[in-house]
Every structure is written in structure tokens, then in C-alpha cells.
Amino acid sequence: MTTILSIQSSVAYGHVGNSAAVFPLQRLGVEVWPVHTVHFSNHTGYGAWRGPLLPADDVREVITGIEEREAMPAIDAVLSGYQGGEEIGDVILDAVARVKAANPSAIYACDPVMGNAKSGCFVHPAIPVLLRERVVPQADLITPNQFELGFLTETEPESLEDTLASVELARAMGPSTVLVTSVLRPDRPEGTIEMLAVDGDSAWIVQTPQLPMKANGSGDVTAALFTAHLLDTGDAGVALGRTVSSVFDLLQRTLDSGARELQLVQSQQEIAEPRMQFEVQQLR
């Protein structure tokens, strides 16, 4: 059984961070050990929220407690998302080092959350520097959107060729596998959006309709599903197809419901058994 240590935020109401990642992973049969970096009432997109931002030392204590149970060798991947500060980044990197010392085959999957094309960069200015210089070089898998890929590599990818070139710059920093979400190339058919995966000498792309919505937490679900499918199959192309299929169905159900929050539980069947309704095109 695959085991993932997921170090992310948590909310009581709605689905972002661990509150978006844990259930889909469990529905796939993955053992998940969630470590929370915050515990808020809801995600910050509402403009108001309550609850604690957990001190980095408290997060470290939780991870140390797991280590004291002699559980680190069982971990197949460390998964991280939004990093609210440099101190949390240090805790995550320390956890990755401890896990890899106990299990050299374990991977670090990092979703380098910084912003998006519509909103721009919405994290503290120190975070992109932290990610670029210290975090991404330690990652085996990163899952940026196209905007974040550009921010990481200090490029402005637009075309598919641009995006692939930026991916190679990112891989030169350390990660062997890159999943790029929200690829919006100028020459795409109107009303579509793409997701791109590069691993080894191969690259794959999937095109879906672009749904008219903003869904907080969808990136967290995407990173979690792709990590699990990659660990399960060892094939980034298969992982991409399964992930895109499940995420599209989740977003379509959420849009149809009229709800603001992801309809995660309602979409559990599509998560467990992706319908594979989109073609995965191998680029190389």
C-alpha cells in the first residue's frame, strides 16, 4: 500500500490543502498521514476566516512524533502545497530529508503555489525565492500551473514550445518529473485548456473543455491525484490521463451544482474510477 505524508493547510469548511487532498487519496486506497500547517474555518478566498496558523515548531513536533513511531521507512512520498512562510519551508525540507534517509526510494512531490495568470502572484515575495532556490531543487516532482512555471524559471511561457522549454529549465533545477496545469497556449482551440506532463525523455498533453469557473482547491486535488497515480503506475502519461479525467468530472459536477466549494465527496466514484474520456497525446 502506498503511504503519503501530506504537509499542507487544513480547513473545516470546504476543500483546500489537506482538506482537498486527503479524501481523494484515501478513495484511491492510499494511506495518508496529514500534517496541518494551519487549521482555518475556511479558505482565505472568502476574505474572512478564523483559526490558527500553526507555529513551525509545532508542525515539526508532529513530524518528529511520527518519526518516533519508527514510521518513516513506510512513507513513499512527501506531498506539500502552499507554503505560508520560510520557516514552514524549512520544516518541510527537513521532513523530506528524514523520510529519504529512512526510505531512499521515497519521493518529494511539491506543488509550488504562488499564484495564477488571472490573479498574479499572491504569496509573500520571499516565497518564490524560497521555492526557486531551496525547495524545488529538493523535489522529485513539481506540479506548477503555467504561470507558476514561468515564475519559477523566470520565463514567460505561452506557446507549447515555450512551455516545454521552461519545463526543461525547471527540471535542470532538480525535479525529474513536471506536471504543468492550466496550460493556455494562444493557438489552442477556443474554449479549451490543457495539462502537460514531462518525465524522462517523454512528454504528454491532454486537452479538455475550459469550464467557466474558479475552483479553490482544484490544484491541491490535482497534485495529490497525480502523485498517487505516478507512484502506482510509474507512468506519467497514464497518471496524467487518470488525473485529468477525475479532476474534470469533479469540476463539472461542482459547476453544475452551483456551489462555491468543490463537490469532492459527491465525485468520489469518478475519483476512484476515472472515466478516461480525454485522449492523452504523446508529444515525444
Side-chain angles (χ1 to χ4, degrees), residues 160 185 194-196 204-207 240 279-281 283:
L160 182 56
R185 50 177 167 149
E194 292 166 314
M195 200 178 295
L196 170 73
W204 300 264
I205 196 166
V206 177
Q207 187 175 92
L240 175 65
E279 179 187 358
V280 179
Q281 178 186 356
L283 299 174

Side-chain angles (χ1 to χ4, degrees), residues 3-269:
T3 299
I4 294 178
L5 178 69
S6 183
I7 309 173
Q8 302 196 59
S9 59
S10 174
V11 294
Y13 174 79
H15 300 290
V16 300
N18 270 335
S19 304
V22 171
F23 175 72
L25 290 172
Q26 291 173 330
R27 195 63 179 81
L28 290 177
V30 173
E31 181 73 44
V32 192
W33 299 341
V35 175
H36 303 324
T37 56
V38 309
H39 187 56
F40 289 163
S41 55
N42 51 271
H43 68 69
T44 58
Y46 286 95
W49 65 93
R50 295 178 182 272
L53 171 69
L54 299 177
D57 285 345
D58 288 353
V59 179
R60 193 187 303 272
E61 281 290 289
V62 172
I63 296 167
T64 299
I66 294 172
E67 186 175 39
E68 288 171 347
R69 304 286 76 75
E70 300 182 351
M72 293 296 204
I75 297 171
D76 298 294
V78 178
L79 173 64
S80 73
Y82 170 72
Q83 299 188 18
E86 293 181 75
E87 291 183 348
I88 287 295
D90 289 335
V91 171
I92 293 170
L93 289 176
D94 181 56
V96 169
R98 293 196 215 181
V99 168
K100 289 193 170 190
N103 178 13
S105 65
I107 69 167
Y108 173 32
C110 170
D111 184 9
V113 178
M114 289 178 282
N116 55 60
K118 186 173 290 186
S119 305
C121 189
F122 52 61
V123 298
H124 187 277
I127 298 303
V129 178
L130 169 73
L131 290 168
R132 186 184 300 125
E133 295 183 357
R134 298 184 52 219
V135 177
V136 169
Q138 297 301 317
D140 302 285
L141 161 64
I142 59 171
T143 60
N145 59 39
Q146 191 178 27
F147 171 85
E148 291 163 340
L149 174 67
F151 226 79
L152 273 179
T153 57
E154 299 180 280
T155 60
E156 295 183 5
E158 291 187 358
S159 69
L160 182 56
E161 292 73 20
D162 291 343
T163 305
L164 286 168
S166 296
V167 166
E168 292 310 319
L169 290 174
R171 297 210 308 160
M173 297 164 67
S176 56
T177 307
V178 177
L179 174 72
V180 188
T181 64
S182 302
V183 176
L184 297 167
R185 50 177 167 149
D187 59 343
R188 73 191 189 279
E190 186 175 353
T192 65
I193 191 169
E194 292 166 314
M195 200 178 295
L196 170 73
V198 180
D199 182 45
D201 296 326
S202 301
W204 300 264
I205 196 166
V206 177
Q207 187 175 92
T208 72
Q210 183 177 12
L211 299 175
M213 64 186 298
K214 176 187 176 184
N216 293 92
S218 58
D220 302 321
V221 175
T222 301
L225 290 178
F226 186 80
T227 300
H229 288 310
L230 185 65
L231 287 170
D232 179 47
T233 67
D235 187 319
V238 172
L240 175 65
R242 291 181 180 179
T243 300
V244 168
S245 181
S246 294
V247 171
F248 181 84
D249 280 344
L250 167 63
L251 293 177
Q252 184 69 67
R253 186 183 297 273
T254 302
L255 179 63
D256 292 345
S257 74
R260 178 167 180 174
E261 296 290 344
L262 291 174
Q263 299 297 286
L264 202 60
V265 175
Q266 297 87 338
S267 302
Q268 61 180 290
Q269 190 59 36

